[in-house]
Amino acid sequence: MSGMASACDGGINGVADGGNPNDSDNPNDLDGDLDGFADAGNSGARGRVTIRDVARLAGVSPSTVSRAFARPDRVSAATTRRIFAAADQLGYHAAPVETVPSRGRRGLIAIIVPDIANEFFSDIIRGVERECSNHGLALIVSESRENASLERAAFDKVMNYADGVILTSSRMPDSMIRKCAQSRPVVVVNRAVRGVPSVLIDNEPGVRQAIECLHANGVGGVTYLDGPASSWSVGVRWNTIAAACKARGMEVRRLWPGSPTFEGGFAFADKFMQHPTHAVIAHNDLMAIGFMAAMRRFGLEAPKDYQIIGFDDDIVARVSEPTLTSIRVSLPILAARASRLLFARLDGRRPESEIFRIPSALVLRGSTVR
């Protein structure tokens, strides 16, 4: 597994350690960026589009369309793109979910996250709280512990107090989220739910740069340490990684499901050693750090013996040894976008587009560079 030189420095259009994949992390750069909202009463009528219409245009079965929306990991990346394009063209679920009118504003917003201790979610909470404070609102925070039933129970409780709710990496099925959106204005983060405003991470740029980096370093095979089966985003991310590897003629395999924690990454090491590859991509930075710790039991160190890349660019990526190459997204921008979408909905405005994407980029550090 050793003996590979690094060619990432000059071969990838990523960013150096401490760099920023976006022009700015400043949420104020979004000023004016919510133009394009329509008044809630001015949406035009259109014929109802069914899942069969989408299937017919995409050339697939209705059950494949259903899987593409609910479990993207069970449908190929090319087919998923074709289905989403057909749905966009036909306006499938483009009509926003109608919310029961509120009897009065309470000045409270709620956010529900799977794991408060995860820095990815705590950073989003911090960004949303900042936006709420700037708009004279208070924030209620609730945790679902990666459980759809607990998430629904949390929603049912906070809706009695909150004017609107941000669901972050929701574990609930689409139908349940749309049901929630009928009772309170809802914005979904890191999850696409048609008919509900959604803010997504565009993984494609960062993943492409990561695979180009590994390919330039002579890597022929990649193992992806994936996250929880209940996460909608894991399927999208796996499809993106698999497609990028295929485009470079690289082998890729997936170990999953896994806990998105240090312990989850640590637990994958034994299974990885049964069929090791020259490179690893982890679902998040915590898993990557845990995996590196476990690999030391075998006397193996990154980047000498293998190369590893994480997701999220948490603080742990910058203080680990070696420092961790990671795929980064601007969480302040993501949080600001989600907050302002919700504020607009509370003011009776609807986005003309229901899905907003925040770009990602590779941050190069010691785990892939020698």
Side-chain angles (χ1 to χ4, degrees):
M1 296 172 63
S2 61
M4 292 187 295
S6 175
C8 287
D9 286 340
I12 305 298
N13 294 322
V15 294
D17 187 4
N20 189 340
N22 305 296
D23 292 335
S24 172
D25 265 343
N26 187 352
N28 291 331
D29 290 347
L30 287 177
D31 286 348
D33 203 24
L34 291 184
D35 292 342
F37 273 75
D39 183 271
N42 293 335
S43 55
R46 68 178 75 193
R48 184 174 183 272
V49 179
T50 70
I51 198 170
R52 294 185 180 277
D53 297 324
V54 177
R56 190 178 302 111
L57 181 60
V60 299
S61 68
S63 61
T64 301
V65 175
S66 179
R67 283 196 301 273
F69 287 122
R71 295 296 302 272
D73 56 301
R74 296 183 179 180
V75 182
S76 72
T79 301
T80 299
R81 285 194 297 271
R82 194 164 72 248
I83 290 170
F84 283 8
D88 288 340
Q89 180 177 336
L90 294 173
Y92 177 61
H93 279 157
V97 173
E98 295 293 338
T99 303
V100 175
S102 174
R103 294 184 177 181
R105 297 278 283 271
R106 300 170 178 83
L108 294 172
I109 298 298
I111 183 170
I112 303 175
V113 301
D115 180 5
I116 291 176
N118 187 314
E119 187 182 347
F120 175 82
F121 298 119
S122 62
D123 282 353
I124 293 175
I125 292 170
R126 188 175 298 111
V128 172
E129 194 282 328
R130 185 179 298 114
E131 289 294 315
C132 287
S133 179
N134 291 340
H135 287 76
L137 302 171
L139 182 67
I140 302 171
V141 179
S142 185
E143 179 185 51
S144 68
R145 303 203 299 271
E146 304 277 357
N147 183 286
S149 296
L150 292 178
E151 183 178 0
R152 179 57 196 263
F155 181 90
D156 290 342
K157 288 183 175 69
V158 301
M159 67 170 282
N160 294 319
Y161 307 97
D163 298 320
V165 182
I166 296 174
L167 299 175
T168 305
S169 296
S170 177
R171 303 321 191 204
M172 294 189 291
D174 285 13
S175 58
M176 189 177 293
I177 293 174
R178 283 195 287 269
K179 188 71 174 177
C180 290
Q182 292 176 354
S183 58
R184 284 291 181 275
V186 166
V187 170
V188 182
V189 173
N190 203 27
R191 169 81 178 267
V193 179
R194 291 189 172 266
V196 180
S198 305
V199 182
L200 303 180
I201 296 171
D202 183 1
N203 291 302
E204 195 279 331
V207 167
R208 173 175 42 79
Q209 291 164 9
I211 298 305
E212 288 176 356
C213 171
L214 296 175
H215 184 266
N217 286 353
V219 169
V222 175
T223 297
Y224 179 48
L225 312 181
D226 212 341
S230 59
S231 172
W232 178 89
S233 65
V234 301
V236 174
R237 191 174 292 177
W238 162 244
N239 280 340
T240 304
I241 291 171
C245 287
K246 182 179 179 180
R248 287 289 182 175
M250 298 166 63
E251 295 183 3
V252 61
R253 69 185 184 116
R254 181 191 196 190
L255 300 182
W256 89 302
S259 173
T261 61
F262 178 95
E263 292 79 11
F266 194 98
F268 271 135
D270 288 336
K271 187 176 291 187
F272 169 81
M273 289 303 294
Q274 295 174 12
H275 302 284
T277 54
H278 284 126
V280 172
I281 299 177
H283 173 75
N284 65 14
D285 293 338
L286 280 175
M287 291 183 73
I289 300 302
F291 180 83
M292 288 195 292
M295 291 295 283
R296 294 188 182 103
R297 298 178 305 160
F298 302 101
L300 300 175
E301 294 280 351
K304 178 173 68 72
D305 301 304
Y306 65 97
Q307 298 179 51
I308 184 166
I309 297 173
F311 269 90
D312 300 340
D313 192 32
D314 289 342
I315 187 64
V316 295
R318 302 166 215 171
V319 301
S320 66
E321 181 56 43
T323 54
L324 180 66
T325 293
S326 186
I327 296 171
R328 183 179 189 272
V329 67
S330 173
L331 296 184
I333 295 292
L334 184 148
R337 165 65 78 182
S339 301
R340 296 179 194 184
L341 280 171
L342 186 59
F343 299 159
R345 289 287 289 115
L346 294 177
D347 290 338
R349 294 180 291 153
R350 290 174 174 163
E352 294 181 355
S353 173
E354 66 182 30
I355 295 179
F356 298 83
R357 292 179 172 83
I358 309 299
S360 61
L362 185 69
V363 180
L364 298 171
R365 295 196 181 93
S367 64
T368 57
V369 180
R370 289 195 292 171

